[in-house]
Amino acid sequence: MTTEPTRLADLTATRLTAGYATGEFSPVEATRAVLEAAEAAQARTNAFTRIDADEALAEAKESEERWRRGEPAGPVDGVPVTVKDLILTRGVPTLRGSRTVGAEGPWEEDAPSVARLRESGAVFVGKTTTPEFGWKGVTDSPRHGVTGNPYDPARTAGGSSGGSAAAVALGAGPLSLGTDGGGSVRIPASFCGIFALKATYGQVPHYPASPFGTLAHVGPMTRDAADAALMMDVITGADWRDWSQLAPPRGSFRAELAGPVAGLRVAYSPSLGWDVPVAPDVAAAVRRAVERLAGLGAYVEEIDPGIEDPVEAFHTLWFSGAARVVQQLGEAQRALLDPGLREVCEQGARYSALDYLTAVDTRMALGRAMGRFHSAYDLLVTPTEPITAFEAGAEVPAGSGHTRWTGWTPFSYPFNLTQQPAATVPCGVDGDGLPIGVQLVGARHADALVLRAAHALYTAGAAAIPAPGEAATPA
């Protein structure tokens, strides 16, 4: 059993709405607490591009009146939410971490996920930081600077949804919208000790279409799996602007959380069968999480999926997308870009259509291989990251020998290529008190199963880690 947080800002969305329903506390009280936490999070980690206090309080007052009448607008009415600054939000600039994007607007559209949250009565606290155009697995940008880790601000929060992860970890809203093109909700969630889900591609409608194509997903970043299920029940609503979206779910993700874990066939792969040096503390914590699943009745087998590292195919698709992002920029604007982004854009511009299609062939073969693997196993379990958070402001850990961010995050981008649901659950801390994540991967369309297994780990206490400040290195 875990003890309920003493701060209103640290309550989950599920707990907040239960309190609103009984009158234990109100959306205005919760929003004030979250805004105070957001200011502190900003001072500690630089998690926000903007905090909209007046607008949030106005929305909270409207929500409070709906709850008073017993007429909440939806499942997240009055719940404070943050939005990554790659996702369109009506009336608010979406600057994408770039000095090449003008703030003048007009900003007249909500992205589909934002629109569904707004219809459900969510309270929008602010926009969170991202690297420029979300191009890498850490969060620093020419426009907004470096985002630090809640557990040690000298370390990276991860990326590209690093601001969202830091905000959730520090009580600045229990729900956040992130994006994931190669691990961008899972990497920072693992580094910051929270939950995140990259759903099956198309499960959450996405507009405008990403220049990174069908690698890019929108996903929930939350305090636990139950809140992510709550959020998924809202953001998976249909939106005609995304021509590639899946049909809306027939049931409720929340309702399926209570399903059994006993009898699930779980494949535990410590390194995907590749030559990945996994830190000893990480390997031990992930193995304990797998043992917890076995203790809950899952059938666990240590086995690799038999796939090769698709990093070169991923680079072809990802760097081509980056080149497309900046294609219309002149030389003066290109000079304003993150130097690393300029490098990958130059590389991406050199690929041919045949190079791109060859990468697509690799992607399809990988998808077939994982489809075959999941005919025998319900879940694949790996470390989310082989390491914990490293120096903030660097693309790769010092002395690692890696040249690009993909070198240190080999467990995330394969499942963007295959479009499978993948979640990260905190499962411990290392010797420096930095969070460790375990990744749960399901077959395409098995989002509810991934959430159910993650929720079981939370319920069993396997996801309990110290809060920032309890195990943090002083700022």
Side-chain angles (χ1 to χ4, degrees), residues 79-130:
V79 176
V81 175
T82 57
V83 179
K84 183 181 181 179
D85 198 32
L86 291 182
I87 303 173
L88 289 181
T89 308
R90 190 179 71 231
V92 175
T94 298
L95 302 175
R96 301 174 172 88
S98 181
R99 291 181 289 178
T100 69
V101 178
E104 60 276 4
W107 305 99
E108 297 177 335
E109 279 192 290
D110 282 330
S113 49
V114 175
R116 302 293 86 77
L117 287 167
R118 197 182 298 280
E119 291 162 3
S120 189
V123 171
F124 291 91
V125 172
K127 301 296 285 285
T128 57
T129 52
T130 175

Side-chain angles (χ1 to χ4, degrees), residues 104-468:
E104 60 276 4
W107 305 99
E108 297 177 335
E109 279 192 290
D110 282 330
S113 49
V114 175
R116 302 293 86 77
L117 287 167
R118 197 182 298 280
E119 291 162 3
S120 189
V123 171
F124 291 91
V125 172
K127 301 296 285 285
T128 57
T129 52
T130 175
E132 193 164 24
F133 300 113
W135 81 272
K136 59 184 175 180
V138 293
T139 299
D140 57 75
S141 74
R143 185 155 197 156
H144 297 115
V146 177
T147 297
N149 191 291
Y151 285 77
D152 178 357
R155 312 281 187 121
T156 181
S160 61
S161 306
S164 287
V168 171
L170 289 170
L175 307 180
S176 192
L177 281 173
T179 62
D180 190 315
S184 289
V185 299
R186 289 162 289 153
I187 297 166
S190 178
F191 281 0
C192 294
I194 67 165
F195 180 82
L197 171 70
K198 179 192 75 66
T200 299
Y201 181 80
Q203 189 69 263
V204 181
H206 193 181
Y207 171 86
S210 172
F212 298 104
T214 58
L215 294 173
H217 305 59
V218 174
M221 304 180 72
T222 59
R223 302 234 170 89
D224 61 20
D227 267 11
L230 172 71
M231 201 170 177
M232 285 288 286
D233 280 346
V234 175
I235 65 176
T236 52
D239 195 296
W240 59 265
R241 293 173 293 174
D242 182 356
W243 64 270
S244 65
Q245 72 176 98
L246 300 175
R250 293 182 179 180
S252 163
F253 290 101
R254 283 181 294 164
E256 296 193 39
L257 288 177
V261 171
L264 290 181
R265 302 164 299 171
V266 174
Y268 167 45
S269 178
S271 67
L272 287 179
W274 307 337
D275 185 21
V276 178
V278 178
D281 285 351
V282 172
V286 171
R287 184 173 291 275
R288 287 194 297 271
V290 171
E291 291 170 351
R292 187 63 63 94
L293 286 172
L296 294 171
Y299 297 112
V300 175
E301 179 180 355
E302 187 168 331
I303 186 170
D304 299 319
I307 57 176
E308 296 182 358
D309 186 353
V311 67
E312 292 307 321
F314 179 81
H315 282 169
T316 300
L317 300 173
W318 190 253
F319 296 168
S320 296
R324 178 72 180 102
V325 171
V326 305
Q327 186 176 21
Q328 305 305 320
L329 299 182
E331 285 305 311
Q333 286 184 302
R334 285 174 182 258
L336 301 174
L337 295 173
D338 180 329
L341 176 58
R342 283 202 306 272
E343 291 176 8
V344 303
C345 289
E346 289 166 4
Q347 182 175 342
R350 292 193 292 269
Y351 291 126
S352 69
L354 286 178
D355 293 329
Y356 194 94
L357 291 173
T358 299
V360 171
D361 286 342
T362 298
R363 181 181 192 178
M364 290 192 292
L366 180 65
R368 287 194 301 273
M370 288 308 302
R372 181 171 58 249
F373 184 76
H374 281 288
S375 69
Y377 298 96
D378 299 303
L379 290 173
L380 170 65
V381 180
T382 74
T384 307
E385 298 301 325
I387 58 175
T388 54
F390 52 90
E391 177 189 359
E395 183 184 347
V396 301
S400 66
H402 300 307
T403 56
R404 293 268 79 101
W405 62 272
T406 44
W408 53 265
T409 180
F411 302 130
S412 59
Y413 56 78
F415 306 110
N416 292 81
L417 289 166
T418 60
Q419 303 187 341
Q420 295 172 244
T424 181
V425 177
C427 62
V429 294
D430 70 3
D432 293 326
L434 297 168
I436 296 166
V438 58
Q439 180 174 234
L440 310 180
V441 183
R444 289 181 75 242
H445 312 293
D447 306 75
L449 176 61
V450 170
L451 285 167
R452 185 205 313 169
H455 180 62
L457 287 175
Y458 276 95
T459 302
I465 65 170

